[in-house]
């Protein structure tokens, strides 16, 4: 049983897992409680967590299949029992676990006769199959079954385009949501005497597809909610005015190493490895962009030059300026390896 505490105002909230089970390789269940909450707080948290669990969690799916030998989605191939449409539907059911970002290639290449299952997929090293028994096709004759696949990590549900491509590429409806379902309920307790209100307990149930546990889903959804609200907690809106292009910010070339030498005059020294970027009050966009490129600590950040950061996908000059402003306002004392203060 897992139990953790967090101090909120004068109350100490406690959450714990009261039930956890694995019904199958693709169905995990967890039940959690959080208490004591004041009247109305359980409803607020329950609604937010349910939306975050179902809409904000990222998953990995096969989004496209390609074979130049296949004329169209509803065709059949001699020696394969299933139609191409049925094969695509089977590929859609494969559950993957990964930490990849962007688009990765995979494939299936097997010679019949025999059964084709998820274990026959040739995947990138960062991708795992949750249930390798998932059926794909039955080869009734000694035919070559070779298909190229495209794998993506995203969130939500993406419906394929209606127009079939002419190059033998077939989009697949992608269900990126690792949380299959979630419910919450509220229970009041206490007598509410002397004009006091009853306290509340929040019960939260989570079902996942096996690519992550309910506890991991709970932590991930909570982290996503925190990231969304951080901008409201720190600083005020900047009224920036620029000529012609309001979104353009011109920065002179520099490296982070050179910029932060100005901060080293402070007598305090902070170990760079112990400062994680989620402590820097970054915007969700900037935070997620750095995490995608394995930048987890301030040390990771300082080893990057401006040019290296600007090459990252979705990273813009305003993100760079935002990082610098935050660190300078925090007045970090920086010490670099083999360089005394």
């Amino acid at each position: 049983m897992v139990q953790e505490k967090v101090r909120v105002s004068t109350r100490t909230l406690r959450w714990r897992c009261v039930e956890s089970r694995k019904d199958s390789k693709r169905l995990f269940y967890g039940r959690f409680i959080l208490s004591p909450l004041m009247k109305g707080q359980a409803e607020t948290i329950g609604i937010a967590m349910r939306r975050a669990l179902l809409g904000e969690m990222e998953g990995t799916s096969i989004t496209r299949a390609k074979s130049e030998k296949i004329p169209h989605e509803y065709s059949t191939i001699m020696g394969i029992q299933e139609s191409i449409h049925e094969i695509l539907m089977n590929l859609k059911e494969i559950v993957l676990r990964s930490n990849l970002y962007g688009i990765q290639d995979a494939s299936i290449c097997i010679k019949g006769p025999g059964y084709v299952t998820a274990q026959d997929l040739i995947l990138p090293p960062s991708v795992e199959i949750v249930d390798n028994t998932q059926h794909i096709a039955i080869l009734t004759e000694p035919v070559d079954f070779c298909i190229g696949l495209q794998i993506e990590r995203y969130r939500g549900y993406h419906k394929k385009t209606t127009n079939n491509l002419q190059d033998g590429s077939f989009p697949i409806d992608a269900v990126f949501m690792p949380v299959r379902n979630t419910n919450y309920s509220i229970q009041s307790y206490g007598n509410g005497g002397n004009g006091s209100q009853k306290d509340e307990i929040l019960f939260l149930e989570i079902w996942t597809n096996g690519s992550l546990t309910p506890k991991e889903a709970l932590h991930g959804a909570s982290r996503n909610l925190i990231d969304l609200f951080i901008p409201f907690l720190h600083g005020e809106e900047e009224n920036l005015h620029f000529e012609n292009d309001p979104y353009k910010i011109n920065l002179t070339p520099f490296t982070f190493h050179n910029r932060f030498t100005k901060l080293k005059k402070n007598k305090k020294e902070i170990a760079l490895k112990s400062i994680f970027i989620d402590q820097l009050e970054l915007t969700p966009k900037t935070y997620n962009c750095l995490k995608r490129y394995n930048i987890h600590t301030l040390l990771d950040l300082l080893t990057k030059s401006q040019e290296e950061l600007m090459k990252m996908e979705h990273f813009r000059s305003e993100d760079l300026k935002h990082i610098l402003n935050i660190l300078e306002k925090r007045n970090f004392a920086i010490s670099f390896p083999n360089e005394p203060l």
Side-chain angles (χ1 to χ4, degrees):
M1 179 179 294
V2 178
Q3 180 170 323
E4 292 189 15
K5 299 180 181 180
V6 59
R7 189 76 174 178
V8 178
S9 185
T10 59
R11 292 178 168 224
T12 299
L13 298 183
R14 292 182 175 86
W15 76 269
R16 69 175 185 268
C17 178
V18 294
E19 184 178 357
S20 178
R21 67 174 186 263
K22 180 179 177 181
D23 294 332
S24 68
K25 290 183 178 180
R26 289 186 285 179
L27 184 58
F28 290 10
Y29 171 80
R31 189 165 184 252
F32 308 88
I33 64 172
L34 177 66
S35 67
L37 296 166
M38 292 188 291
K39 184 175 178 60
Q41 290 181 335
E43 183 77 17
T44 300
I45 297 173
I47 293 174
M49 286 301 301
R50 188 174 191 277
R51 293 184 65 88
L53 285 164
L54 294 176
E56 298 293 329
M57 297 300 298
E58 292 186 340
T60 305
S61 293
I62 298 173
T63 57
R64 190 174 298 274
K66 183 175 182 179
S67 176
E68 297 178 354
K69 298 180 180 180
I70 301 174
H72 57 82
E73 180 179 345
Y74 297 98
S75 62
T76 58
I77 298 178
M78 185 68 67
I80 302 179
Q81 181 171 304
E82 289 82 1
S83 67
I84 299 304
H85 177 74
E86 291 173 324
I87 293 174
L88 294 178
M89 292 300 99
N90 291 335
L91 290 172
K92 176 183 175 180
E93 295 297 321
I94 295 176
V95 178
L96 301 173
R97 181 192 299 114
S98 81
N99 57 1
L100 65 81
Y101 284 90
I103 300 174
Q104 296 285 335
D105 293 326
S107 63
I108 304 174
C109 195
I110 188 171
K111 186 176 181 63
Y115 291 89
V116 183
T117 62
Q119 69 178 353
D120 297 310
L121 268 67
I122 303 173
L123 299 169
S126 58
V127 182
E128 300 178 16
I129 301 171
V130 171
D131 182 8
N132 57 17
T133 64
Q134 169 62 41
H135 173 75
I136 298 176
I138 298 176
L139 309 182
T140 58
E141 298 181 13
V143 296
D144 291 327
F145 182 78
C146 293
I147 296 180
L149 302 173
Q150 177 178 292
I151 297 174
E152 293 184 56
R153 180 179 174 85
Y154 204 65
R155 63 178 187 173
Y157 174 79
H158 283 213
K159 186 174 178 60
K160 66 182 181 181
T161 56
T162 55
N163 297 326
N164 288 329
L165 303 180
Q166 301 300 318
D167 60 351
S169 180
F170 303 95
I172 300 174
D173 291 342
V175 181
F176 294 105
M177 298 177 291
V179 177
R180 299 179 63 172
N181 192 18
T182 178
N183 289 324
Y184 73 90
S185 59
I186 301 169
Q187 179 178 326
S188 299
Y189 67 97
N191 55 22
N194 298 324
S196 63
Q197 294 181 331
K198 292 184 178 181
D199 288 330
E200 295 180 338
I201 301 175
L202 174 66
F203 293 84
L204 187 65
E205 296 179 288
I206 303 172
W207 291 262
T208 69
N209 64 359
S211 62
L212 76 173
T213 65
K215 181 182 175 182
E216 291 171 335
L218 183 64
H219 285 181
S222 301
R223 179 74 264 177
N224 289 340
L225 284 175
I226 291 171
D227 290 343
L228 289 173
F229 287 105
I230 280 178
F232 296 107
L233 299 177
H234 306 283
E236 297 180 355
E237 181 182 0
E238 295 184 9
N239 296 317
L240 302 176
H241 302 281
F242 303 98
E243 296 181 0
N244 299 327
D245 186 359
Y247 301 102
K248 184 177 180 180
I249 300 177
N250 295 320
L251 296 174
T252 56
F254 64 90
T255 64
F256 273 92
H257 186 285
N258 293 335
R259 183 66 175 268
F260 285 116
T261 53
K262 298 179 181 180
L263 300 176
K264 296 193 298 177
K265 296 179 180 179
N266 193 306
K267 294 181 179 180
K268 295 174 62 179
E269 180 180 351
I270 301 176
L272 303 182
K273 289 184 179 180
S274 66
I275 304 174
F276 293 88
I277 62 171
D278 55 2
Q279 298 173 254
L280 301 182
E281 303 161 3
L282 302 171
T283 65
K285 173 181 175 292
T286 305
Y287 173 82
N288 291 327
C289 188
L290 294 177
K291 294 287 283 187
R292 281 198 297 269
Y293 285 85
N294 294 319
I295 299 176
H296 304 291
T297 67
L298 187 55
L299 180 62
D300 298 332
L301 183 61
L302 292 177
T303 58
K304 302 293 183 182
S305 66
Q306 174 186 349
E307 290 75 18
E308 289 174 316
L309 289 173
M310 294 305 295
K311 290 179 181 178
M312 298 191 305
E313 186 179 6
H314 304 310
F315 194 87
R316 301 292 181 263
S317 57
E318 54 265 31
D319 299 318
L320 195 61
K321 183 176 183 293
H322 176 64
I323 293 173
L324 292 170
N325 288 339
I326 286 178
L327 292 176
E328 289 181 344
K329 288 178 182 177
R330 293 281 292 271
N331 195 24
F332 278 109
I334 306 299
S335 66
F336 296 97
N338 303 320
E339 184 177 355
L341 288 174

